[in-house]
Amino acid sequence: MAEENDVERNYPATPRRLEQARERGQVARSRELTTAGVALAAAGAIAGFGPALATACADIVRHGLAIDRQAAFSDELMLARVMALSGDSLVAVMPLLLVLIAATLASPLLLSGWVFAPQAVVPDFKRLDPVKGLSNLFSTHGIAELAKAILKCVLIGTIGAWTITTSWTEMSALSGQSGAAGVAQVGGMIASSLFALAGGLIAIALVDVPYQFWRYRRELRMTREEIRQEMREMEGDPQLKARVRGLQRQAARRRMMAAVPTATVIVTNPTHFAVALDWREGAMRAPRVVAKGAGLVAQRIREIGQAHGVPLLEAPPLARALHKHAELDAEIPTLLYGAVAQVLAWVHQLRTSSERGGPAPLAPETIDVPAGLDPGLGAA
């Protein structure tokens, strides 16, 4: 079952997958919504601009048929007249054309918004594959499109038949009306028919838009492995991240070891833990931990300290407490001020005796570590 889930696309698309699809120009589209929007805009434009358009067209026809003798026998005058009438015709229909162009551009924006995807205009010759075209023709989507086309034909045919039936009386009476009245009545009938047609197309779009959304989401579904791969790409390869962390630890360890030679004292367990402290009187508020470690790291700290003459003090309780509670490159905890003060006092005596040539002071036998800070006592 797990293997089937890895193969089948049973998981919804992630936001990143949807974003990538949008960058490629792959968004939900509904041709029915665009068709309905254009039809509704055309009906509204004819209803609004129809009278002015009819008047302009009548004037163009009237002027076009009024040709004087001189213009009839002059090619230049006839060409100029045709160009002038063509310009007048373009001006007359321009409002209608602008409304239709705006509706054509704005209708797709209602579904997916503005999408700028240069990749979508790159030629893709895979779309010319006849085998793939036949498979799409007989696919579930092809069958759904066929059913939708049949439904559209039936609906539009029904609306057309209803319009003709209800308008038959008015159409029969057109022959008895004047030219202006007849044109106005025909314009009203055309606008009514377009509004009825737009209503039917809107009904089809209301069904098609949810279907296109469902189909779009379905095509972008992902397998479990694709989701895992996306997570790895977004968060980084775990192996690469582990290697980066390892390199960071090595760099931090090198920086830590570089600070050991200048440390003031190294407190040891003596073999399990080692903590190097730095104290500069007048320059620091409290001693700082410049290096700490356990096992092999502690051994390396001791070796570097011995090589550079850094005093080593065996104080297991304090070493355990500092290793447990003190952060690297940070001041020691306040509760350990007293214990570390004993160590610094011994270091001061040691330096003084070394400078004056006297006997070395004895290392403190007991260090007062506050109760609860020594993890060794807690384990016991």
Side-chain angles (χ1 to χ4, degrees):
M1 190 68 179
E3 295 179 357
E4 293 179 358
N5 291 336
D6 286 339
V7 175
E8 298 179 0
R9 299 181 181 275
N10 296 329
Y11 298 91
T14 61
R16 176 58 179 163
R17 180 68 169 262
L18 295 175
E19 181 183 353
Q20 290 176 340
R22 190 176 183 84
E23 292 174 355
R24 296 192 301 268
Q26 186 179 358
V27 294
R29 294 186 178 90
S30 174
R31 288 178 293 183
E32 312 306 329
L33 178 62
T34 303
T35 304
V38 172
L40 183 61
I46 289 178
F49 303 122
L53 179 60
T55 302
C57 290
D59 292 339
I60 291 171
V61 172
R62 187 181 304 111
H63 288 89
L65 295 178
I67 305 175
D68 56 12
R69 179 180 177 82
Q70 183 180 1
F73 290 95
S74 174
D75 295 340
E76 295 181 357
L77 293 178
M78 287 298 296
L79 180 60
R81 190 177 184 83
V82 169
M83 292 182 63
L85 292 175
S86 299
D88 294 339
S89 302
L90 181 61
V91 171
V93 300
M94 184 61 68
L96 179 61
L97 292 178
L98 292 177
V99 170
L100 295 179
I101 293 173
T104 304
L105 296 176
S107 297
L109 300 180
L110 298 176
L111 190 61
S112 301
W114 174 260
V115 179
F116 180 73
Q119 299 180 11
V121 299
V122 177
D124 186 4
F125 296 101
K126 294 181 180 179
R127 298 177 181 176
L128 302 178
D129 187 0
V131 177
K132 186 176 181 180
L134 289 175
S135 63
N136 292 334
L137 182 62
F138 294 100
S139 63
T140 304
H141 174 64
I143 296 174
E145 290 294 326
L146 177 61
K148 187 173 62 177
I150 295 175
L151 176 62
K152 188 191 303 184
C153 291
V154 172
L155 182 60
I156 294 176
T158 303
I159 294 173
W162 174 81
T163 302
I164 294 175
T165 302
T166 56
S167 303
W168 184 258
T169 303
E170 297 178 4
M171 293 173 63
S172 300
L174 288 175
S175 59
Q177 297 182 3
S178 62
V183 170
Q185 187 171 351
V186 170
M189 294 170 60
I190 293 175
S192 300
S193 301
L194 284 176
F195 275 116
L197 176 62
L201 294 176
I202 290 174
I204 296 175
L206 291 177
V207 177
D208 184 62
V209 168
Y211 168 71
Q212 295 298 336
F213 267 117
W214 171 82
R215 179 172 173 268
Y216 172 70
R217 295 280 181 168
R218 185 173 179 271
E219 289 181 348
L220 292 179
R221 286 187 305 183
M222 305 173 66
T223 64
R224 181 182 300 176
E225 182 58 32
E226 287 175 338
I227 295 177
R228 292 174 179 171
Q229 179 64 27
E230 182 180 284
M231 293 179 62
R232 285 195 293 266
E233 292 176 355
M234 295 179 63
E235 299 178 0
D237 190 347
Q239 296 182 355
L240 180 60
K241 291 175 66 177
R243 178 172 176 79
V244 171
R245 286 195 298 268
L247 294 175
Q248 291 175 344
R249 286 194 297 267
Q250 292 179 6
R253 185 174 300 174
R254 284 195 295 268
R255 291 194 301 269
M256 182 179 70
M257 293 302 179
V260 173
T262 59
T264 303
V265 64
I266 298 176
V267 184
T268 66
N269 194 27
T271 57
H272 297 86
F273 301 104
V275 180
L277 302 176
D278 188 25
W279 166 244
R280 297 291 183 269
E281 187 175 359
M284 296 182 178
R285 187 182 64 175
R288 300 177 61 86
V289 177
V290 296
K292 70 174 185 176
L296 295 177
V297 177
Q299 179 181 350
R300 182 58 181 163
I301 291 174
R302 291 193 303 270
E303 292 175 353
I304 295 176
Q306 290 175 347
H308 291 82
V310 180
L312 273 68
L313 176 64
E314 294 185 7
L318 181 57
R320 291 191 296 262
L322 288 171
H323 187 273
K324 174 70 175 179
H325 302 288
E327 297 294 334
L328 188 64
D329 293 330
E331 295 179 353
I332 64 173
T334 307
L335 295 177
L336 292 177
Y337 278 5
V340 173
Q342 294 180 257
V343 176
L344 295 178
W346 171 75
V347 172
H348 178 71
Q349 295 174 2
L350 187 63
R351 289 178 176 175
T352 302
S353 63
S354 177
E355 293 173 357
R356 297 179 180 180
L362 296 177
E365 297 181 356
T366 58
I367 301 293
D368 297 330
V369 177
L373 293 184
D374 184 2
L377 294 179

